[in-house]
Amino acid sequence: MNLLLENKINQTLSEIFRSLELDEKFAVVKVSDRADLSDFQCNGALALAKIAHKNPREIATAISEKLQQADFVERVTVDGPGFINIKLKNDFIAENIDKIAQDERLGCGTTDNPHKVVLDYGGPNVAKEMHVGHLRSGVIGESVRRIEKFVGNDVIADVHLGDWGTPMGMILSEIIAHDGNLAKVETYDIAQITEFYKAANIRCKEDESARENARKITAALQAGNAEYRKAWQHLRDVSVAAVKENYRQLDVNFDLWWGESDAHETCGEIVKLAREKGISEIDEGAEIIRLEESNKPKPPVILVKSDGGFGYQLTDIATIKMRADDLKAEEIVYFTDSRQTLHFEQVFESAQKLNLAPNVKLQHIVFGTVNGADGKPFKTRDGGVMNLDTLIEMSKDKVRLSLPKAGEVEGYGTAEIEKLVAQIAVAAIKFQDLKNTIASGYIFELDEFAKFEGKTGPYIQYAVARINSILRKAKAKNLSFGKVILAAPEERELSLKLAQLHNVVMRAHTDKEPSIIADYAYNLAQIFSTFYNACPIMSADDQALAASRLTLAKAVKDVLTLLLDLLGIEAPEVMLKAENKGE
Ligand code: ARG
């Protein structure tokens, strides 16, 4: 059950509205914009007055007189043209926090409409090194996966490996050009395969006949040529192993490792279906579907190229059918940058024409690019593409600067320090990404992102570690948790903030926007810090107050840990630096 304070207020307001014969639709409050005036506000009187052509202040006054009687209300005022400002009694807020602190889900409810969601993120390609451009899809996708699961949806994450397009024929033909045949393919590692791909790219850019050859080999591979398939399998295996290692380091996880190639058979079915339905046509040797052009010109979808090869669009159309029929998906969400906007428009429209998944909600979420300080796509210092390994190493190097060296702290040898370094480095990378809204691109803040202060992942981890340290000390002193008492304004502010958790998670879920969680986590950590400075725990005036504050601290720790988890970030027990500070 969700433990929002709003629930109780809205319920009481509804009864009041009913008794005054006012439309209950408007009996809702929101967190006040003016914390100095109130905790919550209801603006319903203004809307009602407009409809009924009455004076909003009169309506608001009638409501507020009744609301003032409610046992949880401290004060109600009517302000401005008819805003109802509500301040709650401390006891009511405190009791609510007691419940949240005891609740397994910390007062968060689940979705009213649990369903099966397939998330398509990552999308790495065989033989291509993963670079910073691949970061966002994995990081955002992983967070959305966790959020969707937490609210009660059945989630399947599929990496959708790019393993079936022309690049496959390009590498194979490059290897043949180099070795004369494919005999040595199985001895090549990821570095060599990547080099072949780079060389193939250069060659195909310059030479039309090389392009033509690559297309032919791709078509033959797809049609089942045994030699090509065997070589391709090796390229794929080696690439998957490399990609898995990158994702393991970033703690980005998938349920399925399907690729475009897994849709091959279904692609054939789609081509047949399109013919039967009279939706496709032959155009210059290719088989295509023409799309509506009512709003803007839209190029046709190419199902089968003139050489018989299946295109990227067809593999995605077929994959929709598989996800609907085999996985029973009710919603499919794709995460890519804006260069694929048209692609997904075309794919979704084709799926609709073919009636492949009439009851499946299809959504393409577009994210902005990661840029360097110059506003251009983020590069290494020498101007090369920033690959993911380099990025992770760079982040680790920064984090090491903030931590003691191996052996300097008892119990922290190389293994322990390096584990911590990895946890913090990944937090730094992920939080810097997730604190921005998905749609906006961001500048990789090289000097800031791994700091332990500011709006960073390590700062939130540090806040958790600091509370862990408080909890350990309290335990050593036999201090126990107690009922929450709101004596100081800082305790009140913190409690009101904690009580918003359900709404925050639900908004992040509905909007598929992890930045809502990142923002809230940062605010909560700051509010906790203010609280902790003003309200000592171990040296509190009396036992009851100390026990209450300990409950509050533990609740903040639990909430921050949950929020970090929803962002795909671990919360280490100790940050080492935290040990020397605080009480
Ligand atoms: N492999 C693609 C790329 O690198 C991304 C895949 C996105 N997902 C999809 N179902 N098409 O551009």
Side-chain angles (χ1 to χ4, degrees):
M1 202 190 68
N2 86 61
L3 292 171
L4 282 178
L5 291 165
E6 289 92 317
N7 295 343
K8 177 83 178 167
I9 315 173
N10 288 344
Q11 202 187 331
T12 306
L13 267 182
S14 284
E15 284 161 21
I16 295 173
F17 275 49
R18 230 177 293 141
S19 72
L20 293 171
E21 293 180 351
L22 299 170
D23 188 345
E24 278 178 64
K25 191 168 80 197
F26 300 104
V28 280
V29 290
K30 58 173 193 135
V31 172
S32 172
D33 306 327
R34 294 280 308 270
D36 53 329
L37 284 181
S38 61
D39 304 325
F40 292 91
Q41 64 190 77
C42 170
N43 301 340
L46 297 169
L48 283 166
K50 208 174 236 170
I51 296 167
H53 301 291
K54 284 197 176 145
N55 178 348
R57 274 196 77 94
E58 251 166 54
I59 299 178
T61 307
I63 298 166
S64 78
E65 274 164 13
K66 290 198 175 235
L67 188 57
Q68 186 67 63
Q69 314 298 319
D71 58 0
F72 56 84
V73 167
E74 172 76 32
R75 188 185 70 218
V76 186
T77 55
V78 174
D79 297 296
F83 300 118
I84 302 171
N85 276 308
I86 306 155
K87 192 159 181 212
L88 301 177
K89 282 207 172 116
N90 283 358
D91 287 354
F92 177 60
I93 302 170
E95 270 165 35
N96 189 256
I97 288 295
D98 285 330
K99 285 188 208 149
I100 289 177
Q102 312 246 332
D103 183 37
E104 212 178 55
R105 292 178 55 84
L106 300 166
C108 291
T110 51
T111 165
D112 298 334
N113 165 35
H115 61 283
K116 192 154 205 177
V117 190
V118 171
L119 300 177
D120 180 313
Y121 56 86
N125 299 311
V126 164
K128 269 201 219 167
E129 219 172 4
M130 295 235 295
H131 56 78
V132 68
H134 295 104
L135 187 68
R136 297 209 78 190
S137 180
V139 168
I140 294 169
E142 174 70 19
S143 176
V144 172
R145 179 178 78 81
R146 292 172 183 226
I147 296 168
E148 290 304 297
K149 267 201 168 155
F150 182 71
V151 302
N153 281 329
D154 187 357
V155 188
I156 300 180
D158 182 9
V159 74
H160 202 75
L161 199 67
D163 64 354
W164 214 225
T166 322
M168 300 302 105
M170 283 164 61
I171 310 175
L172 292 176
S173 60
E174 189 62 33
I175 296 176
I176 295 170
H178 188 264
D179 292 353
N181 55 45
L182 292 169
K184 274 168 65 187
V185 168
E186 292 187 14
T187 65
Y188 292 139
D189 62 15
I190 187 67
Q192 288 161 309
I193 292 170
T194 314
E195 282 312 311
F196 277 120
Y197 181 62
K198 282 184 193 155
N201 247 328
I202 296 170
R203 192 193 296 270
C204 286
K205 245 187 211 131
E206 291 161 357
D207 180 357
E208 167 59 31
S209 72
R211 279 203 293 277
E212 182 56 31
N213 191 34
R215 274 197 293 270
K216 271 200 193 123
I217 293 186
T218 308
L221 165 76
Q222 293 183 351
N225 177 305
E227 192 196 358
Y228 294 162
R229 286 271 175 121
K230 189 161 175 277
W232 166 83
Q233 190 63 50
H234 175 74
L235 302 178
R236 190 183 194 277
D237 291 348
V238 171
S239 298
V240 167
V243 163
K244 279 193 174 168
E245 175 53 19
N246 264 312
Y247 284 137
R248 187 194 62 75
Q249 289 198 51
L250 279 175
D251 201 359
V252 170
N253 304 285
F254 300 93
D255 302 296
L256 293 177
W257 279 82
W258 287 2
E260 294 165 3
S261 63
D262 292 294
H264 186 72
E265 230 172 86
T266 315
C267 284
E269 286 170 34
I270 300 284
V271 174
K272 228 175 101 202
L273 189 71
R275 274 178 211 155
E276 280 164 15
K277 291 198 170 204
I279 292 170
S280 57
E281 60 189 85
I282 305 290
D283 185 59
E284 296 182 16
E287 204 154 339
I288 63 163
I289 297 181
R290 285 195 199 282
L291 302 174
E292 310 301 333
E293 297 206 26
S294 49
N295 301 326
K296 58 175 179 187
K298 231 182 259 165
V301 167
I302 300 172
L303 294 178
V304 188
K305 297 181 213 167
S306 54
D307 57 22
F310 293 162
Y312 179 43
Q313 292 164 327
L314 177 57
T315 53
D316 259 324
I317 297 169
T319 305
I320 290 181
K321 179 170 164 51
M322 292 165 75
R323 288 173 177 166
D325 295 355
D326 306 342
L327 300 179
K328 306 275 178 274
E330 295 169 274
E331 182 181 0
I332 308 177
V333 192
Y334 302 80
F335 300 84
T336 80
D337 68 24
S338 61
R339 284 171 298 182
Q340 303 206 27
T341 302
L342 176 64
H343 168 77
F344 283 108
E345 281 173 13
Q346 291 174 306
V347 166
F348 293 172
E349 199 176 318
S350 306
Q352 202 185 0
K353 272 182 181 274
L354 289 158
N355 202 30
L356 293 182
N359 301 316
V360 181
K361 180 177 172 203
L362 301 171
Q363 196 184 358
H364 177 215
I365 294 191
V366 177
F367 51 78
T369 47
V370 185
N371 297 323
D374 56 359
K376 300 205 177 101
F378 193 41
K379 296 240 169 23
T380 55
R381 221 172 291 148
D382 54 19
V385 181
M386 175 68 83
N387 71 32
L388 277 190
D389 283 331
T390 316
L391 184 72
I392 295 168
E393 280 315 315
M394 192 185 79
S395 180
K396 283 183 173 178
D397 287 344
K398 294 244 174 215
V399 170
R400 279 193 201 96
L401 298 176
S402 304
L403 293 181
K405 300 217 167 22
E408 278 179 15
V409 176
E410 207 196 313
Y412 282 85
T414 309
E416 290 77 15
I417 292 279
E418 282 307 303
K419 181 171 177 214
L420 200 52
V421 166
Q423 285 174 314
I424 303 173
V426 168
I429 293 175
K430 284 187 166 180
F431 195 89
Q432 135 140 304
D433 192 300
L434 296 172
K435 75 178 183 183
N436 301 285
T437 58
I438 292 182
S440 64
Y442 66 91
I443 290 182
F444 204 100
E445 291 161 0
L446 267 175
D447 294 328
E448 305 294 329
F449 83 107
K451 283 203 173 143
F452 284 31
E453 307 93 40
K455 197 173 177 180
T456 67
Y459 171 73
I460 317 275
Q461 288 179 314
Y462 182 82
V464 174
R466 197 172 165 205
I467 301 175
N468 286 335
S469 157
I470 297 169
L471 295 175
R472 282 195 302 273
K473 283 176 188 150
K475 199 171 170 199
K477 287 194 173 174
N478 280 328
L479 186 64
S480 53
F481 298 106
K483 268 190 176 318
V484 170
I485 305 163
L486 303 183
E490 290 82 3
E491 290 164 324
R492 197 173 190 281
E493 193 194 355
L494 180 62
S495 300
L496 283 171
K497 191 75 187 174
L498 278 169
Q500 292 173 9
L501 180 67
H502 167 86
N503 262 357
V504 168
V505 173
M506 280 303 167
R507 270 200 296 130
H509 147 68
T510 318
D511 298 358
K512 304 242 167 31
E513 187 60 86
S515 65
I516 294 173
I517 288 182
D519 274 340
Y520 175 75
Y522 178 60
N523 283 333
L524 182 61
Q526 282 183 312
I527 292 175
F528 175 77
S529 192
T530 311
F531 152 83
Y532 190 55
N533 286 337
C535 305
I537 297 181
M538 254 64 82
S539 52
D541 293 343
D542 66 67
Q543 278 286 324
L545 215 46
S548 154
R549 289 173 183 170
L550 200 61
T551 300
L552 281 175
K554 167 80 163 49
V556 173
K557 172 216 155 129
D558 289 344
V559 169
L560 286 179
T561 306
L562 169 68
L563 297 170
L564 285 177
D565 184 63
L566 293 178
L567 296 175
I569 295 173
E570 291 180 328
E573 170 71 23
V574 166
M575 293 276 278
L576 293 185
K577 259 188 80 175
E579 289 296 292
N580 318 323
K581 297 195 177 172
E583 299 191 79

